[in-house]
PDB file of all heavy atoms in Angstrom:
ATOM      1  N   LEU A   1       1.862   3.152   1.638  1.00  0.00           N
ATOM      2  CA  LEU A   1       0.782   2.621   2.494  1.00  0.00           C
ATOM      3  C   LEU A   1      -0.496   2.641   1.618  1.00  0.00           C
ATOM      4  O   LEU A   1      -0.736   3.478   0.812  1.00  0.00           O
ATOM      5  CB  LEU A   1       0.550   3.510   3.727  1.00  0.00           C
ATOM      6  CG  LEU A   1       1.412   3.167   4.954  1.00  0.00           C
ATOM      7  CD1 LEU A   1       2.891   3.373   4.663  1.00  0.00           C
ATOM      8  CD2 LEU A   1       0.969   3.960   6.196  1.00  0.00           C
ATOM      9  N   SER A   2      -1.328   1.575   1.829  1.00  0.00           N
ATOM     10  CA  SER A   2      -2.555   1.477   1.047  1.00  0.00           C
ATOM     11  C   SER A   2      -3.639   0.865   1.924  1.00  0.00           C
ATOM     12  O   SER A   2      -3.398  -0.073   2.731  1.00  0.00           O
ATOM     13  CB  SER A   2      -2.344   0.560  -0.151  1.00  0.00           C
ATOM     14  OG  SER A   2      -3.499   0.398  -0.924  1.00  0.00           O
ATOM     15  N   GLY A   3      -4.870   1.387   1.845  1.00  0.00           N
ATOM     16  CA  GLY A   3      -5.988   1.028   2.604  1.00  0.00           C
ATOM     17  C   GLY A   3      -6.689  -0.157   2.012  1.00  0.00           C
ATOM     18  O   GLY A   3      -7.943  -0.135   1.803  1.00  0.00           O
ATOM     19  N   ILE A   4      -5.998  -1.340   1.847  1.00  0.00           N
ATOM     20  CA  ILE A   4      -6.580  -2.444   1.183  1.00  0.00           C
ATOM     21  C   ILE A   4      -6.429  -3.722   2.073  1.00  0.00           C
ATOM     22  O   ILE A   4      -6.636  -4.829   1.566  1.00  0.00           O
ATOM     23  CB  ILE A   4      -5.904  -2.730  -0.174  1.00  0.00           C
ATOM     24  CG1 ILE A   4      -4.432  -2.953  -0.022  1.00  0.00           C
ATOM     25  CG2 ILE A   4      -6.136  -1.547  -1.163  1.00  0.00           C
ATOM     26  CD1 ILE A   4      -3.701  -3.354  -1.305  1.00  0.00           C
ATOM     27  N   ALA A   5      -6.254  -3.521   3.355  1.00  0.00           N
ATOM     28  CA  ALA A   5      -6.050  -4.688   4.223  1.00  0.00           C
ATOM     29  C   ALA A   5      -7.243  -5.572   4.360  1.00  0.00           C
ATOM     30  O   ALA A   5      -7.119  -6.706   4.701  1.00  0.00           O
ATOM     31  CB  ALA A   5      -5.618  -4.153   5.644  1.00  0.00           C
ATOM     32  N   GLU A   6      -8.477  -5.053   4.181  1.00  0.00           N
ATOM     33  CA  GLU A   6      -9.650  -5.844   4.257  1.00  0.00           C
ATOM     34  C   GLU A   6      -9.867  -6.720   3.068  1.00  0.00           C
ATOM     35  O   GLU A   6     -10.660  -7.632   3.054  1.00  0.00           O
ATOM     36  CB  GLU A   6     -10.922  -4.926   4.391  1.00  0.00           C
ATOM     37  CG  GLU A   6     -10.902  -4.064   5.605  1.00  0.00           C
ATOM     38  CD  GLU A   6     -12.124  -3.108   5.628  1.00  0.00           C
ATOM     39  OE1 GLU A   6     -12.609  -2.765   4.545  1.00  0.00           O
ATOM     40  OE2 GLU A   6     -12.520  -2.722   6.714  1.00  0.00           O
ATOM     41  N   HIS A   7      -9.038  -6.581   2.007  1.00  0.00           N
ATOM     42  CA  HIS A   7      -9.217  -7.311   0.774  1.00  0.00           C
ATOM     43  C   HIS A   7      -8.106  -8.300   0.497  1.00  0.00           C
ATOM     44  O   HIS A   7      -8.238  -9.193  -0.337  1.00  0.00           O
ATOM     45  CB  HIS A   7      -9.339  -6.375  -0.443  1.00  0.00           C
ATOM     46  CG  HIS A   7     -10.519  -5.419  -0.310  1.00  0.00           C
ATOM     47  ND1 HIS A   7     -11.768  -5.681  -0.799  1.00  0.00           N
ATOM     48  CD2 HIS A   7     -10.601  -4.162   0.248  1.00  0.00           C
ATOM     49  CE1 HIS A   7     -12.551  -4.692  -0.595  1.00  0.00           C
ATOM     50  NE2 HIS A   7     -11.931  -3.758   0.028  1.00  0.00           N
ATOM     51  N   PHE A   8      -6.898  -8.085   1.115  1.00  0.00           N
ATOM     52  CA  PHE A   8      -5.791  -8.938   0.817  1.00  0.00           C
ATOM     53  C   PHE A   8      -5.036  -9.292   2.056  1.00  0.00           C
ATOM     54  O   PHE A   8      -4.927  -8.469   3.043  1.00  0.00           O
ATOM     55  CB  PHE A   8      -4.820  -8.193  -0.151  1.00  0.00           C
ATOM     56  CG  PHE A   8      -5.400  -7.765  -1.414  1.00  0.00           C
ATOM     57  CD1 PHE A   8      -5.928  -6.449  -1.606  1.00  0.00           C
ATOM     58  CD2 PHE A   8      -5.478  -8.643  -2.492  1.00  0.00           C
ATOM     59  CE1 PHE A   8      -6.476  -6.054  -2.808  1.00  0.00           C
ATOM     60  CE2 PHE A   8      -6.052  -8.200  -3.699  1.00  0.00           C
ATOM     61  CZ  PHE A   8      -6.538  -6.890  -3.888  1.00  0.00           C
ATOM     62  N   GLU A   9      -4.423 -10.495   2.045  1.00  0.00           N
ATOM     63  CA  GLU A   9      -3.530 -10.908   3.092  1.00  0.00           C
ATOM     64  C   GLU A   9      -2.138 -10.491   2.626  1.00  0.00           C
ATOM     65  O   GLU A   9      -1.691 -10.787   1.474  1.00  0.00           O
ATOM     66  CB  GLU A   9      -3.605 -12.414   3.356  1.00  0.00           C
ATOM     67  CG  GLU A   9      -4.909 -12.938   3.918  1.00  0.00           C
ATOM     68  CD  GLU A   9      -5.108 -12.347   5.316  1.00  0.00           C
ATOM     69  OE1 GLU A   9      -4.127 -12.131   6.058  1.00  0.00           O
ATOM     70  OE2 GLU A   9      -6.274 -12.136   5.648  1.00  0.00           O
ATOM     71  N   PRO A  10      -1.425  -9.797   3.481  1.00  0.00           N
ATOM     72  CA  PRO A  10      -0.173  -9.204   3.004  1.00  0.00           C
ATOM     73  C   PRO A  10       0.848 -10.239   2.471  1.00  0.00           C
ATOM     74  O   PRO A  10       1.584  -9.943   1.480  1.00  0.00           O
ATOM     75  CB  PRO A  10       0.408  -8.494   4.230  1.00  0.00           C
ATOM     76  CG  PRO A  10      -0.413  -8.992   5.387  1.00  0.00           C
ATOM     77  CD  PRO A  10      -1.737  -9.389   4.844  1.00  0.00           C
ATOM     78  N   GLU A  11       0.941 -11.399   3.152  1.00  0.00           N
ATOM     79  CA  GLU A  11       1.915 -12.395   2.719  1.00  0.00           C
ATOM     80  C   GLU A  11       1.655 -12.906   1.340  1.00  0.00           C
ATOM     81  O   GLU A  11       2.608 -13.436   0.618  1.00  0.00           O
ATOM     82  CB  GLU A  11       1.973 -13.503   3.697  1.00  0.00           C
ATOM     83  CG  GLU A  11       0.672 -14.281   3.917  1.00  0.00           C
ATOM     84  CD  GLU A  11      -0.151 -13.677   5.013  1.00  0.00           C
ATOM     85  OE1 GLU A  11       0.153 -12.522   5.486  1.00  0.00           O
ATOM     86  OE2 GLU A  11      -1.096 -14.316   5.479  1.00  0.00           O
ATOM     87  N   THR A  12       0.411 -12.837   0.777  1.00  0.00           N
ATOM     88  CA  THR A  12       0.136 -13.316  -0.514  1.00  0.00           C
ATOM     89  C   THR A  12       0.526 -12.309  -1.597  1.00  0.00           C
ATOM     90  O   THR A  12       0.465 -12.592  -2.808  1.00  0.00           O
ATOM     91  CB  THR A  12      -1.421 -13.588  -0.648  1.00  0.00           C
ATOM     92  OG1 THR A  12      -2.113 -12.359  -0.568  1.00  0.00           O
ATOM     93  CG2 THR A  12      -1.847 -14.573   0.400  1.00  0.00           C
ATOM     94  N   LEU A  13       0.913 -11.085  -1.226  1.00  0.00           N
ATOM     95  CA  LEU A  13       1.186 -10.044  -2.210  1.00  0.00           C
ATOM     96  C   LEU A  13       2.685  -9.913  -2.564  1.00  0.00           C
ATOM     97  O   LEU A  13       3.042  -9.276  -3.497  1.00  0.00           O
ATOM     98  CB  LEU A  13       0.653  -8.686  -1.746  1.00  0.00           C
ATOM     99  CG  LEU A  13      -0.845  -8.629  -1.443  1.00  0.00           C
ATOM    100  CD1 LEU A  13      -1.197  -7.285  -0.906  1.00  0.00           C
ATOM    101  CD2 LEU A  13      -1.661  -8.975  -2.719  1.00  0.00           C
ATOM    102  N   VAL A  14       3.529 -10.491  -1.715  1.00  0.00           N
ATOM    103  CA  VAL A  14       4.992 -10.321  -1.902  1.00  0.00           C
ATOM    104  C   VAL A  14       5.351 -11.024  -3.273  1.00  0.00           C
ATOM    105  O   VAL A  14       4.965 -12.109  -3.544  1.00  0.00           O
ATOM    106  CB  VAL A  14       5.750 -10.958  -0.769  1.00  0.00           C
ATOM    107  CG1 VAL A  14       7.299 -11.002  -1.066  1.00  0.00           C
ATOM    108  CG2 VAL A  14       5.472 -10.295   0.515  1.00  0.00           C
ATOM    109  N   GLY A  15       6.131 -10.260  -4.051  1.00  0.00           N
ATOM    110  CA  GLY A  15       6.523 -10.770  -5.385  1.00  0.00           C
ATOM    111  C   GLY A  15       5.623 -10.339  -6.530  1.00  0.00           C
ATOM    112  O   GLY A  15       5.968 -10.477  -7.640  1.00  0.00           O
ATOM    113  N   ARG A  16       4.424  -9.816  -6.144  1.00  0.00           N
ATOM    114  CA  ARG A  16       3.523  -9.469  -7.274  1.00  0.00           C
ATOM    115  C   ARG A  16       3.896  -8.098  -7.740  1.00  0.00           C
ATOM    116  O   ARG A  16       4.489  -7.217  -7.072  1.00  0.00           O
ATOM    117  CB  ARG A  16       2.053  -9.488  -6.681  1.00  0.00           C
ATOM    118  CG  ARG A  16       1.540 -10.807  -6.468  1.00  0.00           C
ATOM    119  CD  ARG A  16       0.088 -10.831  -5.977  1.00  0.00           C
ATOM    120  NE  ARG A  16      -0.829 -10.178  -6.956  1.00  0.00           N
ATOM    121  CZ  ARG A  16      -2.171 -10.157  -6.834  1.00  0.00           C
ATOM    122  NH1 ARG A  16      -2.705 -10.749  -5.717  1.00  0.00           N
ATOM    123  NH2 ARG A  16      -2.943  -9.640  -7.677  1.00  0.00           N
ATOM    124  N   GLN A  17       3.531  -7.870  -9.073  1.00  0.00           N
ATOM    125  CA  GLN A  17       3.788  -6.586  -9.627  1.00  0.00           C
ATOM    126  C   GLN A  17       2.517  -5.730  -9.611  1.00  0.00           C
ATOM    127  O   GLN A  17       1.402  -6.246  -9.730  1.00  0.00           O
ATOM    128  CB  GLN A  17       4.284  -6.694 -11.100  1.00  0.00           C
ATOM    129  CG  GLN A  17       5.685  -7.240 -11.213  1.00  0.00           C
ATOM    130  CD  GLN A  17       6.321  -6.926 -12.536  1.00  0.00           C
ATOM    131  OE1 GLN A  17       5.794  -7.267 -13.571  1.00  0.00           O
ATOM    132  NE2 GLN A  17       7.525  -6.337 -12.425  1.00  0.00           N
ATOM    133  N   VAL A  18       2.659  -4.424  -9.379  1.00  0.00           N
ATOM    134  CA  VAL A  18       1.494  -3.528  -9.236  1.00  0.00           C
ATOM    135  C   VAL A  18       1.837  -2.259 -10.057  1.00  0.00           C
ATOM    136  O   VAL A  18       2.923  -1.972 -10.419  1.00  0.00           O
ATOM    137  CB  VAL A  18       1.258  -3.182  -7.767  1.00  0.00           C
ATOM    138  CG1 VAL A  18       0.713  -4.360  -7.012  1.00  0.00           C
ATOM    139  CG2 VAL A  18       2.509  -2.611  -7.092  1.00  0.00           C
ATOM    140  N   CYS A  19       0.721  -1.522 -10.286  1.00  0.00           N
ATOM    141  CA  CYS A  19       0.918  -0.210 -10.912  1.00  0.00           C
ATOM    142  C   CYS A  19       0.752   0.862  -9.843  1.00  0.00           C
ATOM    143  O   CYS A  19      -0.055   0.820  -8.976  1.00  0.00           O
ATOM    144  CB  CYS A  19      -0.260   0.033 -11.971  1.00  0.00           C
ATOM    145  SG  CYS A  19      -0.234  -1.202 -13.315  1.00  0.00           S
ATOM    146  N   VAL A  20       1.728   1.834  -9.911  1.00  0.00           N
ATOM    147  CA  VAL A  20       1.849   2.825  -8.899  1.00  0.00           C
ATOM    148  C   VAL A  20       1.933   4.233  -9.413  1.00  0.00           C
ATOM    149  O   VAL A  20       2.554   4.434 -10.517  1.00  0.00           O
ATOM    150  CB  VAL A  20       3.250   2.527  -8.154  1.00  0.00           C
ATOM    151  CG1 VAL A  20       3.531   3.647  -7.159  1.00  0.00           C
ATOM    152  CG2 VAL A  20       3.155   1.182  -7.418  1.00  0.00           C
ATOM    153  N   VAL A  21       1.206   5.155  -8.725  1.00  0.00           N
ATOM    154  CA  VAL A  21       1.369   6.549  -9.032  1.00  0.00           C
ATOM    155  C   VAL A  21       2.612   7.013  -8.250  1.00  0.00           C
ATOM    156  O   VAL A  21       2.600   6.981  -7.000  1.00  0.00           O
ATOM    157  CB  VAL A  21       0.135   7.417  -8.551  1.00  0.00           C
ATOM    158  CG1 VAL A  21       0.390   8.865  -8.873  1.00  0.00           C
ATOM    159  CG2 VAL A  21      -1.141   6.884  -9.232  1.00  0.00           C
ATOM    160  N   ALA A  22       3.733   7.267  -8.964  1.00  0.00           N
ATOM    161  CA  ALA A  22       5.052   7.329  -8.322  1.00  0.00           C
ATOM    162  C   ALA A  22       5.385   8.775  -7.961  1.00  0.00           C
ATOM    163  O   ALA A  22       6.363   8.997  -7.221  1.00  0.00           O
ATOM    164  CB  ALA A  22       6.105   6.800  -9.246  1.00  0.00           C
ATOM    165  N   ASN A  23       4.660   9.811  -8.378  1.00  0.00           N
ATOM    166  CA  ASN A  23       5.069  11.148  -8.131  1.00  0.00           C
ATOM    167  C   ASN A  23       4.126  11.945  -7.185  1.00  0.00           C
ATOM    168  O   ASN A  23       4.024  13.140  -7.248  1.00  0.00           O
ATOM    169  CB  ASN A  23       5.296  11.900  -9.454  1.00  0.00           C
ATOM    170  CG  ASN A  23       3.986  12.060 -10.255  1.00  0.00           C
ATOM    171  OD1 ASN A  23       3.029  11.257 -10.126  1.00  0.00           O
ATOM    172  ND2 ASN A  23       3.864  13.074 -11.079  1.00  0.00           N
ATOM    173  N   LEU A  24       3.376  11.152  -6.396  1.00  0.00           N
ATOM    174  CA  LEU A  24       2.573  11.828  -5.339  1.00  0.00           C
ATOM    175  C   LEU A  24       3.467  12.392  -4.287  1.00  0.00           C
ATOM    176  O   LEU A  24       4.498  11.818  -3.915  1.00  0.00           O
ATOM    177  CB  LEU A  24       1.612  10.871  -4.708  1.00  0.00           C
ATOM    178  CG  LEU A  24       0.376  10.421  -5.505  1.00  0.00           C
ATOM    179  CD1 LEU A  24      -0.542   9.456  -4.639  1.00  0.00           C
ATOM    180  CD2 LEU A  24      -0.482  11.641  -5.932  1.00  0.00           C
ATOM    181  N   ALA A  25       3.110  13.598  -3.782  1.00  0.00           N
ATOM    182  CA  ALA A  25       3.842  14.122  -2.681  1.00  0.00           C
ATOM    183  C   ALA A  25       3.733  13.225  -1.462  1.00  0.00           C
ATOM    184  O   ALA A  25       2.694  12.810  -1.111  1.00  0.00           O
ATOM    185  CB  ALA A  25       3.310  15.570  -2.302  1.00  0.00           C
ATOM    186  N   PRO A  26       4.901  12.918  -0.809  1.00  0.00           N
ATOM    187  CA  PRO A  26       4.894  12.036   0.373  1.00  0.00           C
ATOM    188  C   PRO A  26       4.023  12.634   1.474  1.00  0.00           C
ATOM    189  O   PRO A  26       3.953  13.887   1.614  1.00  0.00           O
ATOM    190  CB  PRO A  26       6.334  11.927   0.753  1.00  0.00           C
ATOM    191  CG  PRO A  26       7.086  12.294  -0.490  1.00  0.00           C
ATOM    192  CD  PRO A  26       6.256  13.255  -1.155  1.00  0.00           C
ATOM    193  N   ARG A  27       3.377  11.738   2.233  1.00  0.00           N
ATOM    194  CA  ARG A  27       2.582  12.200   3.396  1.00  0.00           C
ATOM    195  C   ARG A  27       2.670  11.145   4.503  1.00  0.00           C
ATOM    196  O   ARG A  27       2.917   9.963   4.232  1.00  0.00           O
ATOM    197  CB  ARG A  27       1.173  12.484   3.028  1.00  0.00           C
ATOM    198  CG  ARG A  27       0.396  11.274   2.503  1.00  0.00           C
ATOM    199  CD  ARG A  27      -1.077  11.593   2.356  1.00  0.00           C
ATOM    200  NE  ARG A  27      -1.882  10.460   1.820  1.00  0.00           N
ATOM    201  CZ  ARG A  27      -3.202  10.350   2.032  1.00  0.00           C
ATOM    202  NH1 ARG A  27      -3.832  11.294   2.681  1.00  0.00           N
ATOM    203  NH2 ARG A  27      -3.805   9.265   1.574  1.00  0.00           N
ATOM    204  N   LYS A  28       2.446  11.646   5.710  1.00  0.00           N
ATOM    205  CA  LYS A  28       2.497  10.718   6.870  1.00  0.00           C
ATOM    206  C   LYS A  28       1.098  10.170   7.209  1.00  0.00           C
ATOM    207  O   LYS A  28       0.157  10.939   7.247  1.00  0.00           O
ATOM    208  CB  LYS A  28       3.037  11.463   8.089  1.00  0.00           C
ATOM    209  CG  LYS A  28       4.505  11.414   8.195  1.00  0.00           C
ATOM    210  CD  LYS A  28       5.022  11.796   9.537  1.00  0.00           C
ATOM    211  CE  LYS A  28       6.523  11.643   9.648  1.00  0.00           C
ATOM    212  NZ  LYS A  28       7.020  11.912  11.012  1.00  0.00           N
ATOM    213  N   ILE A  29       1.024   8.862   7.370  1.00  0.00           N
ATOM    214  CA  ILE A  29      -0.195   8.147   7.742  1.00  0.00           C
ATOM    215  C   ILE A  29       0.173   7.296   8.944  1.00  0.00           C
ATOM    216  O   ILE A  29       1.062   6.417   8.857  1.00  0.00           O
ATOM    217  CB  ILE A  29      -0.738   7.324   6.591  1.00  0.00           C
ATOM    218  CG1 ILE A  29      -0.905   8.144   5.318  1.00  0.00           C
ATOM    219  CG2 ILE A  29      -2.053   6.665   6.996  1.00  0.00           C
ATOM    220  CD1 ILE A  29      -1.380   7.327   4.164  1.00  0.00           C
ATOM    221  N   ARG A  30      -0.475   7.541  10.086  1.00  0.00           N
ATOM    222  CA  ARG A  30      -0.212   6.780  11.291  1.00  0.00           C
ATOM    223  C   ARG A  30       1.278   6.783  11.643  1.00  0.00           C
ATOM    224  O   ARG A  30       1.854   5.765  12.035  1.00  0.00           O
ATOM    225  CB  ARG A  30      -0.712   5.352  11.218  1.00  0.00           C
ATOM    226  CG  ARG A  30      -2.195   5.223  11.100  1.00  0.00           C
ATOM    227  CD  ARG A  30      -2.918   5.642  12.326  1.00  0.00           C
ATOM    228  NE  ARG A  30      -4.389   5.466  12.267  1.00  0.00           N
ATOM    229  CZ  ARG A  30      -5.010   4.491  12.775  1.00  0.00           C
ATOM    230  NH1 ARG A  30      -4.372   3.536  13.477  1.00  0.00           N
ATOM    231  NH2 ARG A  30      -6.325   4.424  12.701  1.00  0.00           N
ATOM    232  N   GLY A  31       1.936   7.930  11.409  1.00  0.00           N
ATOM    233  CA  GLY A  31       3.332   8.037  11.705  1.00  0.00           C
ATOM    234  C   GLY A  31       4.333   7.458  10.702  1.00  0.00           C
ATOM    235  O   GLY A  31       5.515   7.548  10.925  1.00  0.00           O
ATOM    236  N   LEU A  32       3.749   6.878   9.675  1.00  0.00           N
ATOM    237  CA  LEU A  32       4.621   6.264   8.602  1.00  0.00           C
ATOM    238  C   LEU A  32       4.565   7.100   7.304  1.00  0.00           C
ATOM    239  O   LEU A  32       3.408   7.509   6.944  1.00  0.00           O
ATOM    240  CB  LEU A  32       4.213   4.846   8.316  1.00  0.00           C
ATOM    241  CG  LEU A  32       4.329   3.859   9.489  1.00  0.00           C
ATOM    242  CD1 LEU A  32       3.753   2.484   9.079  1.00  0.00           C
ATOM    243  CD2 LEU A  32       5.795   3.715   9.927  1.00  0.00           C
ATOM    244  N   VAL A  33       5.643   7.263   6.631  1.00  0.00           N
ATOM    245  CA  VAL A  33       5.636   8.057   5.355  1.00  0.00           C
ATOM    246  C   VAL A  33       5.221   7.177   4.235  1.00  0.00           C
ATOM    247  O   VAL A  33       5.766   6.078   4.039  1.00  0.00           O
ATOM    248  CB  VAL A  33       7.056   8.620   5.123  1.00  0.00           C
ATOM    249  CG1 VAL A  33       7.096   9.341   3.779  1.00  0.00           C
ATOM    250  CG2 VAL A  33       7.461   9.594   6.187  1.00  0.00           C
ATOM    251  N   SER A  34       4.289   7.664   3.471  1.00  0.00           N
ATOM    252  CA  SER A  34       3.766   6.930   2.296  1.00  0.00           C
ATOM    253  C   SER A  34       4.137   7.803   1.013  1.00  0.00           C
ATOM    254  O   SER A  34       3.756   8.956   0.953  1.00  0.00           O
ATOM    255  CB  SER A  34       2.317   6.703   2.291  1.00  0.00           C
ATOM    256  OG  SER A  34       1.865   6.009   1.136  1.00  0.00           O
TER     257      SER A  34
END
């Protein structure tokens, strides 16, 4: 989950490559695990 909804339309991001911090401890946000 990422708080960037004000800056991007989700459908325009599918297929794009991103850089990710992959070893953060999972946490729940609004009932969803990130």
Side-chain angles (χ1 to χ4, degrees):
L1 274 63
S2 181
I4 59 176
E6 295 176 336
H7 300 270
F8 302 96
E9 292 298 327
E11 58 271 14
T12 66
L13 300 179
V14 175
R16 290 182 59 174
Q17 290 200 306
V18 290
C19 299
V20 172
V21 181
N23 63 336
L24 284 182
R27 61 171 180 158
K28 273 195 173 184
I29 306 174
R30 295 295 182 99
L32 299 174
V33 175
S34 179

